[in-house]
Amino acid sequence: MAYGDSVSGVSAEFREFRYKESMLRVRKAVDVIHVSKNRVLILFPLTKTPVLKSLTAKRITLVTPDGRDLVKEWRE
């Protein structure tokens, strides 16, 4: 649970807020880096810019390929 931990191939589900709307995003293979207290940086494999998300958000799920729940492990 140290800061700077990186996990590849994570299945991520989170809300993304645009102007006057929110969209549920589901991605099957992203890289996730634990950057600070209750914060992760989600890196997409192709062209999209990285997203900084809070682990205390209402709707966030990060599951590794072997079934570990990163939100439970990394939340402080």
Side-chain angles (χ1 to χ4, degrees):
M1 185 186 86
Y3 297 141
D5 286 350
S6 178
V7 181
S8 298
V10 175
S11 173
E13 183 177 315
F14 59 92
R15 286 202 181 269
E16 194 171 56
F17 296 96
R18 301 273 184 201
Y19 180 71
K20 292 187 178 181
E21 65 182 2
S22 70
M23 299 168 53
L24 181 64
R25 297 286 185 190
V26 178
R27 300 288 183 250
K28 294 299 178 189
V30 295
D31 297 335
V32 177
I33 301 172
H34 189 207
V35 292
S36 66
K37 182 178 179 180
N38 292 328
R39 299 262 185 213
V40 292
L41 186 65
I42 300 173
L43 305 170
F44 299 98
L46 297 176
T47 59
K48 191 168 176 171
T49 58
V51 175
L52 183 67
K53 295 302 290 181
S54 172
L55 294 174
T56 58
K58 286 183 182 179
R59 181 71 180 227
I60 186 166
T61 306
L62 300 171
V63 179
T64 61
D66 60 352
R68 293 183 325 177
D69 185 7
L70 292 180
V71 175
K72 283 185 180 179
E73 287 183 22
W74 288 349
R75 186 181 289 168
E76 294 179 20

